[in-house]
Amino acid sequence: MKGKKLKFSLKFSKSWRFISALVIAFLLTFNFSWVATAAAKHYSDLQFTPLSEIKLPKYERFVLDNGLVVYLMEDHELPLVSGTTLVKTGSRWESGDKVGLADVVGSLMRTGGTLKHSPDQLNEILEQRAASVETDISEAAGSASFDSLTEDLETVFGLFAEVLREPAFAQEKLDLIKTQVKGSIARRNDDPDDIASREFRKLIYGQESPYSRTVEYATLDQINREDVVKFYQQYYYPNNMILGIVGDFNPKQMRSLIQAKFGDWKPNPNISKTQLPQVSSANLGGVFFVNQPQLTQSNILIGHLGGTFDNPDYAALSVMNGVLNGFGGRLFNEVRSRQGLAYSVYGVWSPRFDYPGMFIAGGQTRSDATVQFVKALKTEINRMQNQRVTAKELNYAKESTLNSFVFNFQDPSQTLSRLMRYEYYGYPADFLFRYQKAVTATTTADVQRVARKYLKPENLVTLVVGNETAIKPPLTQLAATVTPIDVTIPGSQTQAQK
């Protein structure tokens, strides 16, 4: 019996090997004949049909009597519903002696449970339904979100409303969050990229600016539950929020659910638009250095204060970015490919919605090429001002920007998020389409004009994070004075474990 099975197995195996050989022979023959008859084309010779016109999905916007702004966007492709609330708050409005408070509030709203459900109960109900409710407070906005199956929408949305309206701020969860934050403080110098990013913002905005200050053991120790409750009570009102919901729902039923869960929430009639912190350049030039003896390469950032998205020249500045950046950009071609100074190099005009962003260029290079790398970056920045871009460069930059436009509309939730963000910051709903038209109209003269107007080579701040003994020639070839930066974490290890 075993012998028969073995013979059958061998015959079966030989048959399939024969069939496989025939298939492979056919494919090889087919491929070779195809190669012989179809010559490969260079990528620049390929022809593509124009991208179809992008249109916003249908949506509904209304305002409850208590001032809550609501956006609804249906999407019945999957039996899922998600929602997000934006709250006019942010870490930039916390006091300087309690840096970290907003982040703590944003985490504790969810992890601390509600007045009706303990943290464990909340977690269990959501896990049983493969749902989520999350909260956060960033630099310029607070947020709360939920994800749910359509069949569980009423339950999950109810918990979402509870978290927003009735957070319990459990003391034991506050203690846990503070311990976790202290752990992140202790590790913040582990990554040279993080050091460079953190310290560069301080050089641009200033040590005490809300756009660059960092949480320390001392500021964290100043935060108690009373501070958390007070911060929450200052900002969390329906007339200070925007709610957006997208997914598989019935609009009439969704309206009723929103009204039931949020309609009786009392607004704060005295809430006012919070004054934005003032921004000015902390340094107008200079070379700064963070010594990290363990490194074999240098992390380099250079730049200065930038601008906002609503600048009329934003589109032309974006095209300028395209000329500088990416595969085929000037920095890539010159600094990476021709000079071989870095694997990655970049330079971008990076605006913000309601405060000045930065112009920032940089990358990583080997220690002994540090000075040459910085000089190469500055040369290309000067060349943007003095050498008009070619028609080829302009077309490449514009096409890259316009072709990537479709990625802003990959799904309805992405579109809804953008609409909410525009309203949050006071931008028109069609801002992105205005930007698209402005990019299309940008000329070579526009790019050179904005480069000359907004790039400030004389005000470039240079930061190097690297190994001092390995940087040859020394940084003094860039400036007579190189200012060292001490990144030692204030506070002892004992304090961190309290």
Side-chain angles (χ1 to χ4, degrees):
M1 186 68 182
K2 289 182 180 179
K4 289 183 179 179
K5 287 186 177 179
L6 180 60
K7 287 180 180 180
F8 176 79
S9 176
L10 288 172
K11 289 180 180 179
F12 185 78
S13 176
K14 288 177 181 178
S15 298
W16 273 106
R17 283 203 297 269
F18 176 73
I19 293 171
S20 298
L22 287 175
V23 171
I24 292 171
F26 172 78
L27 290 175
L28 287 173
T29 303
F30 174 80
N31 284 337
F32 280 130
S33 64
W34 180 82
V35 171
T37 57
K41 290 185 177 181
H42 189 267
Y43 77 91
S44 59
D45 296 327
L46 298 176
Q47 299 294 320
F48 299 97
T49 57
L51 293 173
S52 58
E53 183 182 356
I54 298 173
K55 296 181 180 179
L56 286 176
K58 291 183 180 180
Y59 67 92
E60 180 183 8
R61 180 191 179 279
F62 58 92
V63 183
L64 299 187
D65 291 341
N66 59 13
L68 177 66
V69 177
V70 180
Y71 282 85
L72 296 181
M73 185 177 288
E74 293 179 68
D75 178 18
H76 300 286
E77 185 174 353
L78 294 171
L80 303 172
V81 182
S82 62
T84 299
T85 295
L86 294 180
V87 186
K88 196 70 176 179
T89 183
S91 63
R92 58 185 174 181
W93 289 303
E94 64 193 4
S95 61
D97 62 335
K98 295 184 179 181
V99 176
L101 174 59
D103 186 46
V104 169
V105 175
S107 298
L108 192 57
M109 280 186 67
R110 166 63 179 87
T111 61
T114 71
L115 298 181
K116 296 176 182 175
H117 294 91
S118 70
D120 289 342
Q121 289 173 332
L122 194 60
N123 292 338
E124 184 178 357
I125 296 172
L126 292 171
E127 287 173 5
Q128 287 175 345
R129 290 162 176 78
S132 69
V133 173
E134 303 296 338
T135 59
D136 180 60
I137 298 179
S138 64
E139 176 184 85
S143 65
S145 63
F146 74 88
D147 290 284
S148 170
L149 291 170
T150 302
E151 63 187 52
D152 298 320
L153 176 59
E154 187 168 349
T155 298
V156 176
F157 191 74
L159 295 176
F160 170 72
E162 272 186 44
V163 168
L164 269 172
R165 298 185 60 176
E166 302 174 306
F169 298 123
Q171 180 65 51
E172 66 272 17
K173 296 298 182 180
L174 171 59
D175 296 337
L176 176 60
I177 289 173
K178 291 175 69 172
T179 298
Q180 292 170 336
V181 174
K182 288 180 179 181
S184 67
I185 294 174
R187 297 187 301 273
R188 74 182 183 195
N189 288 335
D190 291 353
D191 188 335
D193 284 335
D194 292 343
I195 296 173
S197 176
R198 182 184 72 239
E199 297 303 321
F200 190 74
R201 291 182 69 86
K202 292 180 181 179
L203 292 173
I204 298 300
Y205 294 107
Q207 293 274 352
E208 302 304 318
S209 169
Y211 298 113
S212 60
R213 62 194 180 193
T214 53
V215 58
E216 305 288 356
Y217 295 131
T219 63
L220 195 62
D221 286 339
Q222 293 295 316
I223 298 170
N224 56 42
R225 187 178 180 279
E226 183 180 349
D227 297 318
V228 171
V229 173
K230 184 178 179 181
F231 189 93
Y232 168 82
Q233 291 176 342
Q234 186 175 357
Y235 299 105
Y236 282 76
Y237 295 95
N239 56 327
N240 201 38
M241 298 180 179
I242 302 172
L243 169 64
I245 299 174
V246 61
D248 180 37
F249 58 80
N250 177 288
K252 184 177 180 180
Q253 293 175 354
M254 193 72 245
R255 271 177 166 268
S256 298
L257 187 57
I258 293 170
Q259 182 64 42
K261 299 301 180 181
F262 288 103
D264 63 344
W265 194 0
K266 301 299 182 185
N268 182 354
N270 299 317
I271 202 164
S272 58
K273 187 175 181 180
T274 311
Q275 188 70 28
L276 293 176
Q278 292 296 310
V279 175
S280 60
S281 297
N283 291 283
L284 297 175
V287 177
F288 301 83
F289 179 65
V290 178
N291 187 28
Q292 296 287 281
Q294 77 280 9
L295 299 181
T296 57
Q297 66 176 14
S298 294
N299 291 59
I300 299 163
L301 294 175
I302 69 173
H304 54 66
L305 200 64
T308 54
F309 284 109
D310 58 359
N311 185 320
D313 288 325
Y314 168 52
L317 287 161
S318 293
V319 177
M320 181 190 76
N321 281 351
V323 174
L324 273 175
N325 269 314
F327 289 98
R330 288 186 175 183
L331 290 174
F332 183 92
N333 289 341
E334 179 63 24
V335 181
R336 181 188 186 275
S337 298
R338 197 185 74 80
Q339 298 188 41
L341 294 176
Y343 180 75
S344 66
V345 60
Y346 56 88
V348 293
W349 183 266
S350 180
R352 292 291 180 268
F353 279 103
D354 60 1
Y355 74 93
M358 296 183 285
F359 169 71
I360 184 168
Q364 296 81 37
T365 190
R366 62 185 190 275
S367 298
D368 63 356
T370 301
V371 170
Q372 186 182 355
F373 180 83
V374 173
K375 288 181 177 180
L377 285 178
K378 292 183 176 181
T379 296
E380 291 307 308
I381 291 169
N382 278 289
R383 191 158 75 93
M384 281 300 307
Q385 295 184 315
N386 301 321
Q387 182 179 318
R388 180 174 287 203
V389 300
T390 65
K392 183 179 179 180
E393 286 179 313
L394 179 73
N395 291 334
Y396 178 82
K398 289 171 65 172
E399 287 176 7
S400 298
T401 302
L402 294 171
N403 290 343
S404 66
F405 197 75
V406 295
F407 297 111
N408 294 299
F409 300 90
Q410 293 183 91
D411 58 70
S413 62
Q414 189 180 29
T415 303
L416 181 60
S417 174
R418 187 176 296 277
L419 287 170
M420 293 172 62
R421 197 157 63 246
Y422 287 158
E423 175 155 349
Y424 182 87
Y425 290 106
Y427 281 61
D430 64 345
F431 173 77
L432 196 61
F433 294 99
R434 297 184 189 186
Y435 164 71
Q436 183 186 34
K437 291 180 180 178
V439 169
T440 303
T442 299
T443 65
T444 55
D446 290 329
V447 175
Q448 188 172 42
R449 175 181 59 80
V450 297
R452 288 178 173 176
K453 181 176 180 180
Y454 296 100
L455 299 183
K456 307 291 182 184
E458 68 280 6
N459 292 338
L460 286 171
V461 174
T462 301
L463 172 65
V464 177
V465 179
N467 183 347
E468 184 175 21
T469 60
I471 297 176
K472 304 293 182 183
L475 296 180
T476 48
Q477 284 209 359
L478 299 173
T481 301
V482 177
T483 305
I485 296 177
D486 183 5
V487 294
T488 303
I489 301 169
S492 67
Q493 193 65 27
T494 302
Q495 288 175 301
Q497 294 174 346
K498 282 183 179 179

